[in-house]
Amino acid sequence: MAPIPQPWHQWPFLILFFLVLFSCESNLPCRNGVEATQRVFLYPQSPKFSSIVSKGYRTGYHFQPPKNWINGPMYYNGIYHEFYQYNPNGSVWGNIVWGHSVSTDLINWIRLEPAIEGNTPSDINGCWTGSATILTGDQPVIIYTGADTEKRQVQNIVLPKNRSDPYLREWTKPKNNPLIEPVGPGLNSNQFRDPTTGWIGPDGLWRIAVGAELNGYSAALLYKSKDFMQWTRVDHPLYSSNASNMWECPDFFAVLPGKNNGLDLSAAIPNGAKHVLKMSLDSCDKYMIGVYDLKHDMFVPDTVLDDRRLWLRIDYGNYYASKSFFDSKKGRRIIWGWTNETDSTSDDAIPRTIWLDGDGKRLLQWPIEEVESLRRNEVSHQGLELKKDVEIDFELTSIDAADPFDPSWLLDTEKHCREADASVHGGLGPFGLVVLASDNMDEHTTVHFRVYKSEQKYMVLLCSDLRRSSLRPGLYTPAYGGFFEYDLEKEKKISLRTLIDRSAVESFGGGGRACIMARVYPAAVVDGATHMYAFNNGSSTVKVSQLKAWSMTRAQVNVRKG
């Protein structure tokens, strides 16, 4: 990709707007003033760089614990709580406790003392993933996996010591822990973890699901309780599959097609609602949409695919072990996931609102509205972090030029994004953004679309290509990608929103139909000189019908201890 004329480099927050309106070099084909990608870049000898875990790459408005792993969220009495697993002694597995931060807006956070530490026989070898539930009578509880003295995985519970404390700083462990042990035929005691948030069935009993390996296959085991203390395993799983042998971090929640409001599982679920079963495997989060058969207490997917590579994904990038919760303050469901640094186990995330598309076939996600409070209109470097929030609509003037779709691409979308990258001409695409680009384009990340025509529908590919994102040696720089169906006969525009936060590039394509979280480490971020461009490298004209871009102020994330 040819660099933009030098004078515009002085305004990195406006560069996209100016490029769309005015830029067209005479030796390159242009579409509506948007420059086309033609050049393939080769890396020079990589110089020596400072560690990528330097503060220069630490995100400015994504939630990030002091170090290590994110865990389960909760809203209670006007306060959002975020718990996270971490080792206070270093970024390595072991000595895992539950850190605790609180917020009133999901953006600015106060760090508290750890909520759960391994100091009993049922969690002495680690306090692992779990979930929070608000019981009848406004009683919050946390149920979590502990590694006991035999290193079995068992399920424990903690209760707040003082419910009048708005921050719920201290939590106590009942003497009857563990509540649930890995007993029963076919159950692997080392693959039995991550209980879900509880929900109430029509019989008035609480239910949770626990990820497990059962008879060598993956399962979400179902447990019932009257009081959330005494649990009985149901004689059949909530759902199981022979496509894998273990699901981590299962999540189970209800959604209404076409409604972006959330549903509280502790209340009656309205008619017409669907249920979602999410699971973590293959280093990503996948999900199924279906119905909850109340009579048989089972989840029944709308579609069963034997090849798990074809299962729907929450995110097609660096995103794992997500956890959702019902936000009673605003009546929405929010999902949160881990996105790890590529050379350490430090994680951060931005919460997303999640709901079901009107056709009932796919989940949609969008950054929570609170992140917009960080937007600033003034284009200035003084007092602002070099991070951005960009919303852009690409208008397709013709859809006849779309190339044919090959269903085999669904089996390995990352491979297809590598082979059909931004430098490869197509019919409709590639078109999109180049972000975090250095002056000479030696470092840059592309986020782009391609449109394909299938037999009865159009398939849109969203790629986030990190392969030229950094000159630093030894980094993991894949080309992430995900497909989604799109009715281009009805909608001629494809939207892209990208949150750029130092080392985090989080993209939402097609109104949130496909999401890609990526971590990149260009030297230009630390140097404070990155740029952004729009491009079209397809044969068909693509217009930018709307573009909005903001600089972002820095959030207060775990900067002081409560």
Side-chain angles (χ1 to χ4, degrees), residues 34-273:
V34 180
E35 199 171 29
T37 303
Q38 292 218 80
R39 190 179 304 173
V40 176
F41 292 95
L42 300 176
Y43 285 149
Q45 181 70 30
S46 297
K48 293 183 179 180
F49 298 104
S50 60
S51 169
I52 67 168
V53 296
S54 70
K55 291 183 179 180
Y57 292 113
R58 188 172 177 86
T59 54
Y61 58 89
H62 286 65
F63 177 86
Q64 194 170 34
K67 46 192 171 184
N68 316 330
W69 301 273
I70 300 293
N71 210 50
M74 176 181 70
Y75 178 77
Y76 181 73
N77 282 353
I79 301 293
Y80 293 101
H81 298 257
E82 179 59 274
F83 302 97
Y84 43 91
Q85 292 174 278
Y86 83 107
N87 179 350
N89 298 325
S91 295
V92 295
W93 188 254
N95 190 35
I96 301 300
V97 306
W98 273 44
H100 185 193
S101 296
V102 293
S103 172
T104 58
D105 61 4
L106 287 168
I107 297 297
N108 300 287
W109 295 86
I110 298 172
R111 177 164 56 99
L112 306 177
E113 295 292 336
I116 308 173
E117 298 183 82
N119 53 16
T120 67
S122 60
D123 63 10
I124 194 65
N125 283 303
C127 304
W128 297 354
T129 299
S131 301
T133 302
I134 309 298
L135 303 182
T136 306
D138 206 30
Q139 170 67 60
V141 300
I142 293 173
I143 188 165
Y144 69 98
T145 299
D148 67 8
T149 54
E150 301 174 23
K151 296 188 177 180
R152 300 182 309 162
Q153 294 171 13
V154 298
Q155 315 314 317
N156 303 297
I157 196 171
V158 293
L159 305 168
K161 185 176 181 179
N162 179 12
R163 285 167 57 184
S164 64
D165 174 12
Y167 288 173
L168 301 179
R169 290 177 176 86
E170 297 182 82
W171 295 74
T172 61
K173 301 176 184 178
K175 294 182 180 180
N176 57 333
N177 277 330
L179 304 184
I180 304 174
E181 299 183 65
V183 295
L187 188 58
N188 185 343
S189 64
N190 294 317
Q191 301 287 347
F192 178 68
R193 57 186 177 271
D194 310 336
T196 66
T197 298
W199 73 93
I200 296 179
D203 54 8
L205 298 179
W206 284 99
R207 289 156 170 80
I208 62 169
V210 180
E213 179 184 308
L214 183 65
N215 297 316
Y217 298 126
S218 53
L221 299 184
L222 186 62
Y223 290 82
K224 291 184 180 181
S225 174
K226 183 178 181 180
D227 58 3
F228 226 81
M229 288 290 181
Q230 304 294 326
W231 292 91
T232 301
R233 178 176 156 188
V234 179
D235 60 5
H236 60 269
L238 177 68
Y239 187 73
S240 62
S241 171
N242 60 8
S244 58
N245 59 10
M246 173 63 190
W247 288 338
E248 291 191 300
C249 304
D251 199 5
F252 189 61
F253 55 92
V255 286
L256 276 171
K259 304 292 184 180
N260 61 4
N261 56 300
L263 296 175
D264 184 358
L265 288 184
S266 64
I269 302 301
N271 293 331

Side-chain angles (χ1 to χ4, degrees), residues 54 78 84 139 142 150 195 276 323 335 350 353 398 487 559:
S54 70
Y84 43 91
Q139 170 67 60
I142 293 173
E150 301 174 23
V276 175
K323 178 71 64 177
I335 191 167
I350 197 79
T353 304
S398 172
D487 188 353
V559 295

Side-chain angles (χ1 to χ4, degrees), residues 358-369:
D359 61 9
K361 295 181 179 179
R362 177 181 291 271
L363 293 174
L364 304 180
Q365 299 168 79
W366 202 247
I368 57 168
E369 61 184 354

Side-chain angles (χ1 to χ4, degrees), residues 384-441:
L384 293 174
E385 300 290 334
L386 284 180
K387 40 192 174 285
K388 312 170 188 72
D389 183 355
V390 184
E391 294 186 25
I392 183 169
D393 287 344
F394 295 98
E395 182 176 349
L396 309 181
T397 58
S398 172
I399 57 178
D400 297 332
D403 296 320
F405 174 70
D406 184 346
S408 68
W409 294 336
L410 294 171
L411 299 175
D412 194 342
T413 53
E414 293 187 10
K415 177 183 178 183
H416 185 59
C417 280
R418 292 193 302 270
E419 295 175 347
D421 65 20
S423 67
V424 178
H425 295 276
L428 268 179
F431 56 88
L433 298 177
V434 177
V435 301
L436 296 178
S438 59
D439 287 339
N440 59 7
M441 294 291 290

Side-chain angles (χ1 to χ4, degrees), residues 435-451:
V435 301
L436 296 178
S438 59
D439 287 339
N440 59 7
M441 294 291 290
D442 284 344
E443 296 180 316
H444 65 273
T445 297
T446 60
V447 182
H448 60 270
F449 294 110
R450 284 180 180 270
V451 180

